[in-house]
Structure formats: structure tokens, C-alpha cells
Amino acid sequence: MRRSDHTFRGLLIPLALGVVSLAGMGVSMPSTAQADEGKIEVTIKDDGYQVKGHTTPGAVTKIFLRNEGTMTHGFSSRILKDVPVRAEGDAKEVIGRGVKSFHVDAGKVATLIFSKASKVDPATGISETQQYGFWCDIHPHMRGEFLIIETKGEVGGG
Ligand SMILES: [Cu+2]
């Protein structure tokens, strides 16, 4: 019995080292991927939006719209004016009162794809995090927002 105890202990040390180095790799890898794509999930219910996630400047950003409500809801935002936005899935592009909106019927899903560059404050030269509100053009009390978070340049200028 005593001999097998020793063998077991000898194996534990290299195993523990292996776990530590794997954990170190796991920390650095996701941050590289985040620079290239952003994913924002917007769940639409009849009483409002639930927003999960954010994106970064220059990233290929996908907003996943999922209408879990019982009626058609819209997604309208200044982002639709600022950059070209491509829609995939069950989204209908409409223009109401001069403002573009994407309508998603009850139970349907759609993806909005765009890329927004950094916004630089001309006075300071510093890139700022951008906040975009959005709303339902059919039910204007429904409102949400998402962030394009600046990850470089705020400290020390990148
Ligand atoms: Cu609505």
C-alpha cells in the first residue's frame, strides 16, 4: 500500500503544472479573438429588450435579434444611419418618418451585421467608447442600448 502512495504522489506534481500552463493560455487567447468580432444578443419581448454583450471598434459585429414576443417588433437606431448594416434572416427593412428600421415578426430571428470604426474626440485625440440607443418604431416606449467599447488608446495613447 505504501509503495502505491508514493507512485501516486509522484504523478500529481506534473499534472498540477500542466493545469497551470493550460489556464495561462486560456486567458490570452479570447482577447485576441475579441478584436475581430463582436456579438450582441437582443431578446425582444412585448414589454422591452434584453441586451447581452458588447462590441469593439472595427470589429465585425453581429446583433442577434430574437423576437420572443407575440407581435412584430422593430429595431431602429442611429447606427443604421452611421454605417452600412446588412440584415440576414427574418428581418424586414422599413422606413418610417424618414428613419430606417428592421422589423422582426413574432417568433422570428434575424442578424444585423456591421462594423463601426473608432470615434476620436478631435479636441483630445482620444478614442471614446460609443453608446448606441435603439428603439421599437412600432412601440416607441421600448428602448435599449449597446456599447462599442474602446479597448485601446484611452491610457497612454495606443
Ligand atoms: Cu415593438
Side-chain angles (χ1 to χ4, degrees), residues 132-149:
Y132 274 97
F134 59 86
W135 61 91
C136 176
D137 54 305
I138 304 167
H139 314 101
H141 62 277
M142 291 175 62
R143 288 179 173 273
E145 65 173 37
F146 66 91
L147 295 176
I148 302 175
I149 297 179

Side-chain angles (χ1 to χ4, degrees), residues 44 46 49 71-74 136-139 142:
I44 310 171
D46 290 341
Y49 301 100
M71 59 193 96
T72 300
H73 291 291
C136 176
D137 54 305
I138 304 167
H139 314 101
M142 291 175 62

Side-chain angles (χ1 to χ4, degrees), residues 10-142:
L11 277 171
L12 266 181
I13 294 165
L15 272 175
L17 286 173
V19 168
V20 168
S21 61
L22 276 176
M25 281 169 66
V27 169
S28 61
M29 280 163 71
S31 61
T32 319
Q34 273 172 5
D36 306 315
E37 21 184 309
K39 182 180 162 186
I40 298 164
E41 289 174 301
V42 176
T43 304
I44 310 171
K45 308 231 170 162
D46 290 341
D47 59 352
Y49 301 100
Q50 287 169 5
V51 185
K52 260 202 281 186
H54 64 267
T55 188
T56 52
V60 174
T61 302
K62 293 184 176 178
I63 298 185
F64 295 97
L65 299 173
R66 175 179 298 275
N67 187 349
E68 293 185 353
T70 61
M71 59 193 96
T72 300
H73 291 291
F75 179 99
S76 189
S77 171
R78 191 166 47 82
I79 191 76
L80 306 181
K81 281 186 177 179
D82 289 356
V83 291
V85 177
R86 186 162 59 88
E88 285 180 358
D90 290 310
K92 252 175 290 168
E93 188 179 323
V94 296
I95 309 263
R97 297 190 196 110
V99 181
K100 197 198 269 188
S101 175
F102 288 102
H103 284 181
V104 181
D105 289 341
K108 301 291 186 182
V109 295
T111 307
L112 305 181
I113 303 154
F114 63 89
S115 180
K116 177 70 178 70
S118 289
K119 182 187 165 207
V120 178
D121 183 329
T124 61
I126 294 173
S127 300
E128 303 168 324
T129 287
Q130 302 168 72
Q131 185 176 11
Y132 274 97
F134 59 86
W135 61 91
C136 176
D137 54 305
I138 304 167
H139 314 101
H141 62 277
M142 291 175 62

